[in-house]
Amino acid sequence: MNHVKTGIQEVFKEVYGYESGVTVYSAPGRVNLIGEHTDYNDGYVLPTPIDRYIWVAAAPRKDCSVRMYAADFQENMKFTLDAIKYNTKHRWANYVQGVAKILMEEGHSLRGMDLVITGDVPLGAGLSSSAALEMAALRAFQDLNKLSIDPVDAAYIGKRAENEFVGVQCGVMDQFVSSLGEHGKAILIDCRTNDNRLIELDPAYCVVIVNTMKVRELEDSAYNERRAQCEEAVTILQNHCPEVKALRDFSTEQLLNHWEELPEVIKRRARHVVTENQRVLDAVKCLEAGDMEMFGELMYDSHESLRHDYEVSCRHLDVLVDATLGMDYVAGARMTGAGFGGCTVNLVENDKVEKFISEIKERYFNGTAKRAEVYLA
Ligand code: GLA
């Protein structure tokens, strides 16, 4: 981390010609262990931050201009706080602009700043580089303007920036874990009440992420379609249970009581969400009891449910998960994040990580003719 800090400060000096008053802020990407597509259904999630970050070097300005340099793209962008407009050319800029806009909408007054942005969260891999950028930028605005913002509120500001300014209808999981997570711990989040709890991960296992390197297709439209299908399920169920606000309010038994009233596809979408919420709660019990075998089983069940009921997996993700089935040193594996490409998350016995990496890469290449990338959380 320190070399990045020095590196980014040097870039700052080159780009802006000064170095005094520069502070470096950072926020991590994330991997979700279990609880997929539950956050926007008011449900439970269990992500953990990864050891990859977005860094922002920032210095305050006296006027209301924000100058930005994205070191990894070698691109500059400038905006003024009183005239924030969506930028179609430099899409990365919108995460910073969105955060600034929502902060001001929430009544915070901001001054301008000069920024350099860099990071090592793989882009477009479903590891939440955008949430990490939002949280790192927010930390810069917060510190340089002496704002006091609770970390849960910070997560919701990032979510609003993404929903209302960037135009992605995500839930709160990614920003929440980037804001409040701790390395080496999972965080159980109740996305309705915002209650959250850090839980130690079993040190005998390593969280290993495998990237399909597959470009995610139609992700946003399919994501929004899934959200709409969940809302449709709730609307139908409300005919009988007016007190229901979200799929989170249903147990599997209750869902079965009204099963025949739901259209075919909606049945499966609802079943995924309802069973996945229960799996998160069960998985937390396993973590606390040190039962990693059962935790792993729940990960495989989650994958099957995402594959067949929620239909957000893809062949590349399935090849990766299926390849682990014969590896007795892998407790569990599943797709992680929104799906349609991106990464799998694997729980691997510590002393077998090297073996896992070489075997999974080989099997993936044999199954897809593509080369996977591997990261440790
Ligand atoms: C994306 C969204 C999250 C969450 C996941 C699916 O990462 O940003 O809010 O919905 O997909 O679990």
Side-chain angles (χ1 to χ4, degrees):
M1 174 130 178
N2 270 340
H3 71 280
V4 182
K5 243 185 177 169
T6 339
I8 194 174
Q9 273 166 329
E10 273 161 19
V11 175
F12 191 100
K13 193 175 167 200
E14 266 168 47
V15 175
Y16 298 114
Y18 68 94
E19 59 185 331
S20 66
V22 180
T23 310
V24 180
Y25 305 90
S26 68
R30 67 98 187 90
V31 65
N32 190 16
L33 299 175
I34 197 160
E36 219 64 83
H37 290 277
T38 44
D39 60 353
Y40 53 82
N41 288 297
D42 276 6
Y44 303 101
V45 291
L46 191 69
T48 181
I50 58 175
D51 196 17
R52 287 175 174 256
Y53 301 81
I54 299 291
W55 289 274
V56 166
R61 293 174 59 88
K62 294 210 167 63
D63 60 13
C64 65
S65 297
V66 177
R67 294 192 294 176
M68 301 192 276
Y69 177 69
D72 305 313
F73 307 131
Q74 302 185 349
E75 287 176 4
N76 288 291
M77 194 266 171
K78 182 181 169 183
F79 67 96
T80 45
L81 290 163
D82 51 6
I84 296 182
K85 280 193 290 305
Y86 187 85
N87 192 298
T88 46
K89 193 165 159 223
H90 303 303
R91 290 183 185 271
W92 53 268
N94 294 314
Y95 300 105
V96 181
Q97 294 202 99
V99 163
K101 186 159 189 285
I102 303 297
L103 277 170
M104 291 188 295
E105 276 179 26
E106 299 212 342
H108 299 291
S109 56
L110 302 182
R111 61 203 278 206
M113 57 185 180
D114 288 336
L115 297 178
V116 171
I117 302 164
T118 187
D120 62 359
V121 185
L123 302 179
L127 299 174
S128 294
S129 55
S130 46
L133 173 54
E134 286 154 11
M135 290 303 100
L138 188 137
R139 283 174 181 164
F141 279 120
Q142 181 176 349
D143 190 39
L144 297 184
N145 294 284
K146 308 218 171 344
L147 312 176
S148 122
I149 300 174
D150 170 89
V152 172
D153 294 341
Y156 276 90
I157 290 168
K159 175 181 181 290
R160 277 192 64 197
E162 194 126 5
N163 294 165
E164 297 169 30
F165 188 74
V166 180
V168 176
Q169 296 312 311
C170 63
V172 77
M173 167 170 72
D174 308 341
Q175 291 82 4
F176 207 114
V177 54
S178 187
S179 178
L180 283 100
E182 279 181 28
H183 197 244
K185 294 176 186 168
I187 180 166
L188 169 67
I189 307 165
D190 178 334
C191 299
R192 169 173 283 165
T193 62
N194 298 323
D195 284 347
N196 60 88
R197 184 151 64 85
L198 294 168
I199 305 165
E200 290 285 344
L201 291 172
D202 185 336
Y205 286 83
C206 199
V207 176
V208 186
I209 300 157
V210 185
N211 187 350
T212 58
M213 305 300 284
K214 180 182 171 282
V215 179
R216 291 182 295 169
E217 287 151 12
L218 295 175
E219 192 206 333
D220 286 352
S221 58
Y223 186 91
N224 291 343
E225 184 190 63
R226 296 301 181 284
R227 283 195 75 134
Q229 290 168 332
C230 292
E231 280 158 26
E232 189 180 336
V234 172
T235 308
I236 297 171
L237 295 167
Q238 275 171 338
N239 290 329
H240 304 277
C241 321
E243 71 285 0
V244 166
K245 298 274 177 301
L247 283 177
R248 135 77 177 271
D249 297 313
F250 269 84
S251 65
T252 318
E253 292 70 36
Q254 285 170 311
L255 185 64
L256 287 178
N257 288 342
H258 302 286
W259 192 241
E260 291 314 323
E261 289 139 48
L262 298 171
E264 221 32 60
V265 176
I266 307 297
K267 276 185 177 138
R268 288 186 284 119
R269 303 296 188 254
R271 180 166 59 191
H272 165 71
V273 175
V274 169
T275 56
E276 184 78 350
N277 270 325
Q278 188 56 48
R279 277 189 288 273
V280 177
L281 300 177
D282 294 345
V284 166
K285 285 194 193 129
C286 294
L287 252 194
E288 289 173 333
D291 187 350
M292 297 313 279
E293 234 169 80
M294 193 56 213
F295 189 98
E297 284 306 311
L298 292 164
M299 290 174 79
Y300 284 120
D301 291 348
S302 166
H303 186 77
E304 284 306 291
S305 177
L306 289 156
R307 183 178 185 168
H308 299 296
D309 274 356
Y310 219 62
E311 294 177 291
V312 291
S313 187
C314 64
R315 193 175 72 82
H316 294 73
L317 289 165
D318 296 340
V319 166
L320 280 177
V321 171
D322 291 347
T324 67
L325 290 171
M327 301 177 182
D328 57 4
Y329 50 86
V330 177
R334 57 182 286 278
M335 56 152 277
T336 185
F340 311 103
C343 297
T344 62
V345 56
N346 305 264
L347 271 190
V348 183
E349 283 175 20
N350 264 339
D351 54 348
K352 298 289 188 337
V353 170
E354 289 307 315
K355 182 175 161 71
F356 171 73
I357 294 176
S358 73
E359 285 194 8
I360 198 80
K361 281 187 166 174
E362 189 186 325
R363 291 194 196 184
Y364 186 62
F365 185 74
N366 292 340
T368 62
K370 277 181 110 53
R371 298 206 183 275
E373 273 187 10
V374 176
Y375 325 109
L376 304 183

